[in-house]
Amino acid sequence: MFKPERFIEETVSKLRKEIKGKAIIAFSGGVDSTVAAALTNKAIGDRLTAVHVDTGYMRKNESREVKDLMDEMGLNYRFIDAKEEYYKALEKIEDPEEKRRIIGEKFIRIFERIAEEEKVEYLIQGTIAPDWIESGDQLRDTIKSHHNVGGLPEYMKLKLVEPLRDLYKDEVRKIARILKLPVAERQPFPGPGLAIRVIGAATREKTEIVREACAIVEEEIDRAVKNNEMTYPWQYFAVLLPIRTVGVHGDKRAYGYTIAIRAVESIDAMTCNYSHIPHNVLDRISTRITNELGDRVNRIVYDITNKPPGTVEWE
Ligand code: XMP
C-alpha cells in the first residue's frame, strides 16, 4: 500500500543527501512538476530555481496563476515571457511535428540559458512511471513526439533527478493533496499547449479564439459537475479547425471558424473513450462559444472518436 506521508518524508531526506549544488526545474503548474518542485524545495530550499515559460500557448490566465502559485509555494523562480518569440516562430508553421519541434527547441534554448546563468548542476524532472514505461516501448514517440525537457542536450551534463519516477498519477495527486497544492485535481495539459489545439498555423488570433473556447468548455463542465449533471471527464477542451463555414450572426451572413469539443474518459491516456456529455451541457457550451466569440466562430461540433484510432489531442 502506498503511504504518501512516508513517501514525502523519505524523498525529502533522499533529495537532501543527493543534491549537493544548485538545481533547476521546468515548472508548468501541472500536478507532476508542482509536486516535484515542492518536494525538492523542502529538501534544498533556495538552491532550487523553478522556471516557467509563458509561450503564449497557455490557457486563459494560466501563466499568471502559475506565477501566483510559485509565490505562494515560496519558490525561487524565473518567469520568462516568451509569447512574442513563440508567435513569431510559429505563425506560418502548419505541420504538427514541425510545430512540436520548434516549441521544444525554443524551450530548451531558454532553459539552457537560465541553467547557465544560475550555474546549476542538477535537473529535476517530474517524470512519473507511465512516462518512462511508455517511452520504453517507443509507442508514444512514434505517434507524436511529446514535448518535455527530456530532450536537453547531452553536453549540458546536468545530473538528472526524478523524485516521482516510481509513482502513478493517482499517487502523485495524493501527495499534492497532503501538501495542500491547489493543482491536485487538474486535468492533463500537453507541453506544446494550445499550439496543438489550433489545427494548422497557431497564429495569435486563432490562439486567442481557442483559449476563450477552452475556458468556456472548462467553466461549463465545472458548473455541470457541481450541479451533479455529470462527473469530470479525464480531459476536456476545445480545438480550432481551420475550416470556415457559412452561418448567420444577428441578421448578417457570417463566415467563421469551426470549434470541435473534445472530452474523453481514460485511465492512463494510452486508450480512451469519448465522454458522453449530457446534451444540455453541450448546448450551453455551444451557445456560449458562439455568443462570446461573435462572428469569429459559427459552428460547433462534438468529437465522438475513441483512441485508437483517434488520439486525445488532434495534433
Ligand atoms: P495523445 O494526443 O497522444 O495524448 O493521445 C495523450 C495524453 O498526452 C497529452 N499530450 C502531451 N503531453 N507533451 C505532454 O506533456 C506533449 O507533447 C503531449 N501531447 C499530448 C495529451 O493531452 C493527453 O493527456
Side-chain angles (χ1 to χ4, degrees):
M1 238 281 273
F2 178 65
K3 299 207 174 71
E5 283 89 355
R6 194 161 148 199
F7 178 88
I8 294 171
E9 208 175 291
E10 287 178 3
T11 305
V12 171
S13 103
K14 230 192 284 170
L15 290 170
R16 201 169 281 144
K17 282 194 202 110
E18 186 179 351
I19 305 175
K20 305 275 187 260
K22 291 174 94 181
I24 194 167
I25 184 168
F27 191 93
S28 66
V31 192
D32 305 340
S33 67
T34 305
V35 169
L39 295 175
T40 312
N41 183 242
K42 272 184 185 294
I44 65 165
D46 272 1
R47 279 192 284 132
L48 173 70
T49 301
V51 180
H52 178 74
V53 180
D54 181 359
T55 59
Y57 296 109
M58 303 296 283
R59 284 164 292 185
K60 194 173 177 180
N61 302 329
E62 189 167 17
S63 280
R64 207 194 56 220
E65 285 164 14
V66 169
K67 196 160 179 251
D68 291 347
L69 175 61
M70 294 190 294
D71 274 324
E72 226 171 85
M73 289 169 66
L75 294 178
N76 171 29
Y77 67 85
R78 301 277 300 265
F79 181 93
I80 313 293
D81 180 351
K83 291 198 284 284
E84 298 307 321
E85 194 183 328
Y86 272 89
Y87 287 142
K88 199 160 185 317
L90 288 164
E91 69 188 353
K92 293 199 173 70
I93 310 296
E94 300 205 335
D95 178 71
E97 281 300 295
E98 183 67 2
K99 280 157 83 169
R100 283 170 179 273
R101 192 190 62 72
I102 293 171
I103 293 168
E105 165 95 25
K106 277 207 166 302
F107 193 90
I108 288 169
R109 292 286 97 81
I110 293 170
F111 206 74
E112 240 172 17
R113 174 168 63 78
I114 294 175
E116 207 165 291
E117 285 171 13
E118 300 283 335
K119 301 198 171 22
V120 304
E121 287 171 62
Y122 296 83
L123 171 66
I124 315 296
Q125 279 200 302
T127 320
I128 62 173
D131 296 339
W132 57 267
I133 292 169
E134 280 167 21
S135 55
D137 63 16
Q138 295 294 312
L139 182 63
R140 273 177 115 160
D141 285 355
T142 52
I143 297 167
K144 45 180 103 167
S145 45
H146 278 214
H147 150 73
N148 55 40
V149 278
L152 280 180
E154 266 287 296
Y155 67 79
M156 286 186 70
K157 300 269 180 280
L158 292 177
K159 296 180 194 114
L160 186 62
V161 181
E162 298 177 314
L164 313 179
R165 216 184 134 72
D166 297 325
L167 303 190
Y168 286 86
K169 199 77 174 188
D170 59 319
E171 296 169 335
V172 184
R173 289 192 200 278
K174 279 185 191 146
I175 297 175
R177 281 180 213 123
I178 289 175
L179 297 177
K180 301 211 168 12
L181 298 170
V183 296
E185 322 305 330
R186 296 203 82 182
Q187 60 164 323
F189 185 63
L194 299 178
I196 57 165
R197 294 182 179 171
V198 173
I199 307 308
T203 60
R204 178 200 296 267
E205 179 218 357
K206 287 182 174 171
T207 305
E208 292 305 340
I209 297 176
V210 87
R211 193 179 345 261
E212 218 40 60
C214 277
I216 292 170
V217 171
E218 289 198 20
E219 284 165 24
E220 289 305 321
I221 287 184
D222 282 347
R223 196 197 316 267
V225 170
K226 282 197 189 93
N227 292 342
N228 294 319
E229 290 174 88
M230 58 182 286
T231 53
Y232 274 113
W234 163 272
Q235 231 173 316
Y236 44 103
F237 54 89
V239 180
L240 177 79
L241 312 190
I243 299 164
R244 295 208 286 169
T245 67
V246 176
V248 51
H249 194 76
D251 49 10
K252 283 207 175 68
R253 178 187 194 270
Y255 190 49
Y257 291 114
T258 304
I259 288 280
I261 309 299
R262 179 76 164 143
V264 298
E265 308 300 329
S266 182
I267 307 254
D268 55 9
M270 292 293 284
T271 60
C272 69
N273 291 320
Y274 79 85
S275 305
H276 297 208
I277 297 184
H279 269 272
N280 47 357
V281 179
L282 287 173
D283 199 24
R284 292 199 291 266
I285 292 173
S286 167
T287 306
R288 271 196 66 193
I289 293 178
T290 46
N291 281 346
E292 292 175 29
L293 285 159
D295 57 6
R296 291 179 287 173
V297 174
N298 55 356
R299 204 163 295 271
I300 312 291
V301 297
Y302 188 43
D303 182 353
I304 53 168
T305 324
N306 297 328
K307 172 183 178 178
T311 49
V312 176
E313 307 288 344
W314 278 40
E315 286 195 335

